[in-house]
Amino acid sequence: MRRMLVTGGAGFIGANFVHYTVRNHPDYQITVLDALTYAGNRENLNPVADQVTFVHGDICDTDLVDQLVSQADVVVHFAAESHVDNSLHDPEPFIRSNIIGTFRILEAVRRHGSRLHHISTDEVFGDLPLDSDERFTEQTPYDPSSPYSASKASSDMLVRAWVRSYGVAATLSNCANNYGPYQHVEKFIPRQITNVLIGERPKLYGSGQNVREWTHVDDHNAAVHLILERGRIGETYLIGSGDERSNREILELILQLMGQPTDAYDLVPDRPGHDLRYSNDSSKLRNELGWRPQYADLESGLAATIDWYRNNTWWWEPHKRRTEAKYQLLGR
Ligand code: NAD
Ligand code: DAU
């Protein structure tokens, strides 16, 4: 058995990663380290509770991180503050968890020689013009726009420096927007689905023209496993399905799939500094490691995600009112 430490394993992508690993890679013995912030939910691990050891703790806790990393062959580092709107309102937790937290992980990995995979985002590159075919590549210079993306860019830089100067065995990946089950109701797709389910009107920022590239969370996690198995140490891999849609298109699709009029939403004030478009060129991952998205059809992936929220009201309902109260304060 290989011993794997998953940080942030009670969050959206981390929990799906743990489920995916238990299903497809039973040779891993998994420990999850998660601080259970507002975004973490122990219940996300209910289906695999018997196969996973859960540790409630902070990645900034030097001693705890050292002890857990010393017992791990592989560390997959998802833990982070992840929501751009929150970072604009209160940047400090982002600096702490995303930068200091990654530093703590790196120092422990340096001491104990574990293999590290660092999960990052395409937001580190800034944005692309709306009307262009340009895509981010592994060579695109970093140009982050928000406190969130600046903190993730900083964490990536730390990982690269620890690889070069200390010989830490790390890889990095930068994925585009994910969707799927267990995503917090603050994020775009779950917010709109759950608004419809409670009879509230969905909320579109600005004019809804901003474009995102949507990747199913299982496709992201399959890529992470390929990188763990065959990725080259020190290398960065971009992950993205290639399916770009404007926010307005996504919202209209959700409304249509949920049997609502496609104009039944409100336009709300735009996010400050709102990135226009993301698009990842994932040919390195596809050509070197053979990755292909399995959820090639966004419509059916979205329909399954809508069904998941419809059938799991118990999971999101307790968080919905508090999340909307936060948005009300932001005027969005
Ligand atoms: P999330 O907010 O749903 O989950 C984050 C998890 O990290 C939560 O369980 C939280 O409790 C935990 N956490 C936060 N701070 C911690 C700390 N100091 N110590 C221990 N645990 C802590 O986030 P997500 O959407 O699942 O994102 C996971 C990772 O993937 C992040 O690194 C994010 O930057 C990256 N990413 C996300 C997306 C996306 O579309 N959601 C896309 C690309 C990359
Ligand atoms: O690209 C990867 C990134 O994707 C990750 O690094 C982040 O962790 C993740 O949160 C996501 O960032 P975005 O800012 O793109 O995601 P969000 O779900 O917040 O918003 C998606 C788009 O929808 C964005 O253009 C803002 C818009 N939006 C969002 C909300 C919550 C709306 O129009 N209305 C909304 O209510």
Side-chain angles (χ1 to χ4, degrees):
M1 293 289 270
R2 285 178 290 171
R3 300 164 306 169
M4 174 185 273
L5 176 66
V6 180
T7 73
F12 162 48
I13 307 178
N16 278 287
F17 178 80
V18 173
H19 295 187
Y20 184 94
T21 306
V22 167
R23 270 198 318 273
N24 299 296
H25 300 272
D27 51 321
Y28 279 113
Q29 187 185 310
I30 303 171
T31 299
V32 167
L33 170 61
D34 198 296
L36 297 180
T37 68
Y38 81 93
N41 187 342
R42 181 100 194 240
E43 289 173 326
N44 296 0
L45 295 170
N46 280 353
V48 291
D50 292 343
Q51 288 104 309
V52 171
T53 303
F54 182 80
V55 178
H56 182 193
D58 195 318
I59 53 166
C60 297
D61 179 337
T62 309
D63 293 340
L64 178 62
V65 166
D66 188 75
Q67 182 209 328
L68 294 174
V69 169
S70 76
Q71 295 159 6
D73 304 306
V74 178
V75 179
V76 187
H77 177 36
F78 291 93
E81 288 291 335
S82 69
H83 195 43
V84 173
D85 291 319
N86 291 345
S87 82
L88 291 161
H89 180 64
D90 179 14
E92 188 145 347
F94 290 75
I95 304 306
R96 183 179 176 279
S97 291
N98 300 3
I99 305 178
I100 308 290
T102 301
F103 164 66
R104 299 274 185 254
I105 300 283
L106 282 166
E107 282 293 82
V109 162
R110 174 156 84 100
R111 278 191 292 273
H112 298 291
S114 327
R115 164 85 166 83
L116 172 68
H117 183 70
H118 175 65
I119 305 291
S120 193
T121 166
D122 57 354
E123 296 197 15
V124 298
F125 302 118
D127 62 356
L128 297 163
L130 279 181
D131 300 314
S132 80
D133 296 332
E134 256 181 272
R135 312 190 102 188
F136 299 132
T137 72
E138 286 79 7
Q139 282 71 46
T140 302
Y142 278 30
D143 187 18
S145 314
S146 69
Y148 163 68
S149 49
S151 68
K152 291 297 290 186
S154 309
S155 68
D156 291 11
M157 294 303 182
L158 291 177
V159 177
R160 289 178 180 186
W162 263 242
V163 169
R164 174 153 175 169
S165 297
Y166 300 122
V168 158
T171 41
L172 303 90
S173 56
N174 301 72
C175 191
N177 289 64
N178 283 213
Y179 73 98
Y182 299 103
Q183 187 167 31
H184 196 279
V185 289
E186 69 189 354
K187 301 295 197 297
F188 180 54
I189 288 178
R191 185 182 186 201
Q192 314 314 337
I193 295 172
T194 54
N195 271 2
V196 173
L197 291 175
I198 64 170
E200 274 290 323
R201 281 166 76 85
K203 309 283 184 246
L204 194 57
Y205 292 176
S207 60
Q209 62 175 345
N210 306 61
V211 169
R212 297 292 183 265
E213 180 187 6
W214 291 99
T215 301
H216 193 276
V217 65
D218 281 353
D219 282 330
H220 181 176
N221 287 328
V224 172
H225 270 286
L226 280 177
I227 298 166
L228 279 175
E229 282 154 28
R230 302 208 304 276
R232 286 180 289 133
I233 297 301
E235 293 288 319
T236 293
Y237 295 85
L238 297 199
I239 308 171
S241 66
D243 198 334
E244 289 180 42
R245 309 277 176 122
S246 73
N247 295 337
R248 186 187 290 269
E249 283 177 273
I250 291 285
L251 181 50
E252 288 176 353
L253 187 53
I254 291 172
L255 287 164
Q256 184 201 317
L257 289 167
M258 296 184 80
Q260 303 291 314
T262 54
D263 60 355
Y265 58 83
D266 294 333
L267 292 175
V268 296
D270 209 354
R271 173 187 280 174
H274 197 172
D275 281 340
L276 289 175
R277 174 174 160 254
Y278 305 140
S279 174
N280 277 347
D281 178 347
S282 54
S283 12
K284 178 173 170 184
L285 179 72
R286 292 171 191 250
N287 297 338
E288 268 186 32
L289 305 183
W291 179 79
R292 296 284 177 282
Q294 299 303 304
Y295 291 80
D297 177 21
L298 181 62
E299 277 77 357
S300 57
L302 260 185
T305 304
I306 291 168
D307 283 345
W308 190 87
Y309 282 91
R310 202 176 257 132
N311 297 330
N312 290 282
T313 338
W314 66 272
W315 182 83
W316 56 265
E317 228 171 20
H319 310 281
K320 182 69 181 166
R321 194 182 307 180
R322 196 166 356 117
T323 303
E324 288 306 315
K326 233 174 358 181
Y327 275 120
Q328 217 158 14
L329 281 178
L330 299 176
R332 292 198 282 280

